[in-house]
Amino acid sequence: MNLSGKHFSRNVPHTAPPANAQRSIKGSSSTLETANNETIATSLDVEAAKNSPTVFRNFLHEMIFIFVVTSAQLITQCCLGNTVFPIMTIAEGLGVADHPSSQSWFVASYSCTVGAFVLVTGRLGDLYGRKNLFLIGWAWLGIFNLAAGFARNHVVFDVMRALSGIGPSVMMPNAAALLAGAWPDSSSKHDQNRKMLAFCIFGAIAPGGYILGAAWGSGITETGLQWGWIYWSLAIVCAGLALAAWVVIPNTPGLNGRGQGTVDYIGSIVGVAGLVFVFVALNGGVDFGWSAPQSPICLVIGVLAIALFCWIETKVAHPILPMSIFQSPTFVAVAISLCAGWMSFGMFQYYNPHFLMEFRHLTPLHVTLQMLPCALIGVVAAVVAIFLLPRVPGYVIFGASMFCFFAGQTLLAFTPVEQSYWAMTFPTTVIICFGPDLSFACSSLIASDKLKPEEQGVAGSFINTIVNYSVAMGLALAGNVESRVNDDGRDRLAGFRGAYYFGMGLGALGMIFTAIFFQGMATKHRA
């Protein structure tokens, strides 16, 4: 995610010298001195006006701008929660209520395309205007949510969910760029504080979006409405937010300017195709079976495509992912750990609600209430990250995030079915939800310290790719583990335990890599 933005300034008309400055030519030396001082002051005012961020008409306009832009994060996560919690009702409507392996596609297909395309769409915003791409993202998300509500079989629904994921992949990097461009670095300290607040909101509301989606989807299905209204109502909201963005976001060079250069279209197509094929192979292994040709063939094609993408990126003039960023062992270790941690968290997002609904027989709305601490912990974790980054070495924060993933999955693995919410489910929710915000903030900091300035923007987009794609990959791998240990579906609880143990291993992997490469993560945030 490119957070750098572009500086911009408005044209300020030429300001004539003050009248007393013109008269001072005939006056005394004291009058000349006064005139010169006033002329200097006028020049300073002009320069200040040039550097002043004037994109907002007033305070209310500024607040609405923050709400509209950060809502991209809210709705992106909402599109996960609105499907995970009422998934049984959706599966019944699509005729796959007795096929749990088919249900994971509902969630994973969306996360896959969000992660696969996000590396490309930030560059498109730089070239064709960030506001333009932001509007396209809302329209795209609305159209394919509308289509998903009309699906009458799970294959069409999965395709619509995957296509809808392209919308957030377009919105998210350009939303970050819009926030960066609204308050340029040359603006006042007061405006920089507003900018920091906007980015804090942007990160902190992600868990709240997931819970909002859970309440949204569960509320619609439990009131007796057709499950399609989950997606039709979301399409209406997307249309409203697109209209609001068109009105509220100014058409300034910093927010909708056109850049120069080109996009590595060949590399983009090959890279995205490789990621999609690998995902289809792993997630489809449960349905197709690894003895059938579909999954091995897709896996080979995906791996070869990714290898070809890496080669292409060393040959083109403007790569979307320069291979030079992988010359830093610390950044590679952070990328691997981040991938492992977020795979573990994606499994928590899917399997914990299912455990509560399937084995404790809670309604989706009841489970939503039990998961409500996720939204609150997201805000707390963002504040903790801001407080700790200037004071604590990076490896402490990053290692703590990996420990949260590990500890949360450990508690899940040993949670008895017949137990109260407060005994282990609540502590699990609190602990594991510290992992995402701490790991994301710290990995972005480490990338800024270990990479060249010109590499930091693409590294941010790559980190965003890891975060979203890893959720899909975590569900795909966990599905394979679950299917191998659940006795052909006769022991569902054993399958869940197996997935949790796998999540523990992923969290432990992140801790191991952090321990090995901790010296490269020792830098504190430079305020």
Side-chain angles (χ1 to χ4, degrees), residues 112-113 116-118 120 267-277 309 320 469:
C112 172
T113 50
F117 283 86
V118 74
V120 181
S268 300
I269 294 171
V270 172
V272 169
L275 292 175
V276 171
F277 271 107
F309 166 76
I320 60 171
Y469 187 73

Side-chain angles (χ1 to χ4, degrees), residues 170 223 250 273 287 383 385-386 420 458 483 526:
V170 174
T223 53
D287 291 324
V383 174
I386 293 171
S420 71
V458 72
S483 66
R526 296 183 295 272

Side-chain angles (χ1 to χ4, degrees), residues 210-222:
Y210 177 72
I211 299 303
L212 173 64
W216 190 332
S218 301
I220 286 176
T221 56
E222 291 197 28

Side-chain angles (χ1 to χ4, degrees), residues 109-421:
S109 58
Y110 169 80
S111 295
C112 172
T113 50
V114 173
F117 283 86
V118 74
L119 193 64
V120 181
T121 53
R123 176 61 179 159
L124 293 175
D126 292 339
L127 292 180
Y128 302 112
R130 288 144 182 182
K131 177 182 177 180
N132 293 337
L133 267 292
F134 192 67
L135 295 175
I136 290 172
W138 281 121
W140 186 288
L141 181 61
I143 289 170
F144 286 102
N145 268 283
L146 186 67
F150 288 104
R152 290 298 172 261
N153 66 74
H154 70 282
V155 175
V156 173
F157 182 74
D158 293 338
V159 172
M160 293 302 104
R161 284 284 291 170
L163 290 173
S164 70
I166 299 175
S169 76
V170 174
M171 291 191 298
M172 290 294 287
N174 288 289
L178 286 170
L179 294 178
W183 300 274
D185 294 339
S186 57
S187 58
S188 67
K189 183 178 180 180
H190 176 72
D191 289 325
Q192 289 301 309
N193 289 337
R194 297 274 183 85
K195 180 178 182 178
M196 184 178 70
L197 174 63
F199 274 108
C200 289
I201 294 173
F202 190 65
I205 64 174
Y210 177 72
I211 299 303
L212 173 64
W216 190 332
S218 301
I220 286 176
T221 56
E222 291 197 28
T223 53
L225 289 174
Q226 183 187 355
W227 65 267
W229 275 105
I230 297 172
Y231 305 98
W232 298 331
S233 60
L234 184 62
I236 295 171
V237 171
C238 289
L241 287 170
L243 178 61
W246 179 68
V247 173
V248 170
I249 301 175
N251 282 306
T252 62
L255 300 181
N256 206 31
R258 303 297 181 90
Q260 297 181 348
T262 185
V263 178
D264 175 21
Y265 289 106
I266 296 177
S268 300
I269 294 171
V270 172
V272 169
L275 292 175
V276 171
F277 271 107
V278 168
F279 164 75
V280 170
L282 296 178
N283 203 56
V286 182
D287 291 324
F288 306 142
W290 285 99
S291 58
Q294 291 96 323
S295 287
I297 290 174
C298 286
L299 184 60
V300 170
I301 293 174
V303 171
L304 291 177
I306 291 174
L308 178 60
F309 166 76
C310 294
W311 179 79
I312 291 173
E313 296 307 280
T314 64
K315 302 299 180 182
V316 296
H318 301 285
I320 60 171
L321 184 64
M323 293 295 105
S324 58
I325 69 174
F326 300 111
Q327 293 177 358
S328 168
T330 300
F331 181 73
V332 173
V334 167
I336 294 173
S337 300
L338 196 67
C339 180
W342 277 83
M343 280 197 291
S344 178
F345 185 70
M347 292 162 54
F348 163 79
Q349 288 181 302
Y350 182 82
Y351 279 97
N352 190 51
H354 277 255
F355 174 84
L356 297 174
M357 289 185 287
E358 186 166 342
F359 299 108
R360 293 188 177 172
H361 308 293
L362 303 179
T363 66
L365 272 179
H366 193 170
V367 175
T368 300
L369 289 175
Q370 294 200 355
M371 296 281 286
L372 186 61
C374 289
L376 304 178
I377 295 302
V379 177
V380 173
V383 174
V384 168
I386 293 171
F387 177 79
L388 291 181
L389 284 172
R391 298 170 174 84
V392 178
Y395 67 83
V396 174
I397 304 172
F398 196 70
S401 71
M402 295 298 118
F403 176 77
C404 288
F405 291 130
F406 171 78
Q409 291 288 353
T410 302
L411 290 174
L412 284 172
F414 294 101
T415 298
V417 173
E418 302 298 332
Q419 190 185 53
S420 71
Y421 165 73

